[in-house]
Amino acid sequence: MNNQIPDLSTVVEAERKMFGKYVLPIAVVLIIIGIFGLLSPVILSAATDGVLAALLIIAGFTWFIHSYQMHQHHLADWLKPVLLLATGGVMIALPNAGIAAIGLMFILYFVMDAYRNFTQSNVHGGHGRGWFIFSGVIDVAIAILFFVTWPQGSLILVGIFVGVNLIFDGVILLMLRNAVSGDHQ
């Protein structure tokens, strides 16, 4: 397993190949959606629920077709597509429950990320140890915030965290675009 962090030029080149001339519009759209999410977090929470539900339903249909084409005859072979379709359907029929479930996933994610940050702080010794610990503490604080406000808090917090993430992703794309533009001049 390669534990080396790729250099900036490798990352920039990969992003340039992936997005090409669409980096600027994609970055602007991400930032606009992110800002909208901060202004209307409940709407972005519902949109996030809808997107995840749609992905689950598409995956369920895909597995259903695959199982059918493979002439599967056992109940276990049909369980995955049925669960994917049912989960996506429930998230659409009961969006508040879907958003609450996303909030639970955020709790799990932030607890796992905190654990990783705390254990990595010991592995890397003095190299960034303080940043790993700081990040772990922030992860724990966010997990606690989601936990103590769950499920009602998820309606707002999911939208806020998705919005902030989209803004940062858009800004990073703009920075990468500027780095690429600077490299080619």
Side-chain angles (χ1 to χ4, degrees):
M1 185 167 88
N2 185 1
N3 288 334
Q4 288 186 331
I5 298 172
D7 63 358
L8 181 61
S9 61
T10 304
V11 173
V12 168
E13 188 60 27
E15 291 290 328
R16 188 183 66 74
K17 286 180 182 176
M18 188 178 347
F19 295 112
K21 63 183 177 182
Y22 301 109
V23 170
L24 179 61
I26 290 170
V28 170
V29 166
L30 290 176
I31 292 169
I32 290 170
I33 293 171
I35 291 170
F36 173 76
L38 292 180
L39 297 174
S40 303
V42 174
I43 293 173
L44 187 56
S45 293
T48 302
D49 176 68
V51 168
L52 287 175
L55 290 172
L56 290 169
I57 290 170
I58 290 168
F61 278 121
T62 302
W63 273 104
F64 182 82
I65 292 167
H66 171 73
S67 295
Y68 179 77
Q69 289 175 341
M70 298 302 292
H71 303 291
Q72 303 293 339
H73 299 293
H74 301 288
L75 177 62
D77 297 325
W78 294 95
L79 188 57
K80 187 173 193 168
V82 168
L83 286 175
L84 288 167
L85 288 168
T87 303
V90 167
M91 288 178 75
I92 288 174
L94 303 169
N96 287 352
I99 295 167
I102 294 168
L104 286 175
M105 288 189 291
F106 274 138
I107 293 169
L108 180 62
Y109 168 79
F110 285 114
V111 166
M112 290 172 48
D113 197 48
Y115 173 78
R116 183 192 62 82
N117 282 320
F118 291 138
T119 58
Q120 289 297 309
S121 72
N122 294 329
V123 171
H124 294 291
H127 294 80
R129 179 183 176 140
W131 286 111
F132 279 111
I133 292 171
F134 177 73
S135 181
V137 169
I138 296 298
D139 286 336
V140 168
I142 294 170
I144 290 170
L145 177 64
F146 268 96
F147 182 76
V148 299
T149 63
W150 190 86
Q152 295 84 3
S154 296
L155 291 173
I156 294 172
L157 291 175
V158 168
I160 289 171
F161 279 90
V162 170
V164 167
N165 190 305
L166 290 173
I167 290 170
F168 276 102
D169 287 347
V171 169
I172 288 169
L173 280 177
L174 287 177
M175 290 170 53
L176 289 174
R177 177 183 179 268
N178 290 339
V180 169
S181 297
D183 290 345
H184 294 294
Q185 291 179 354

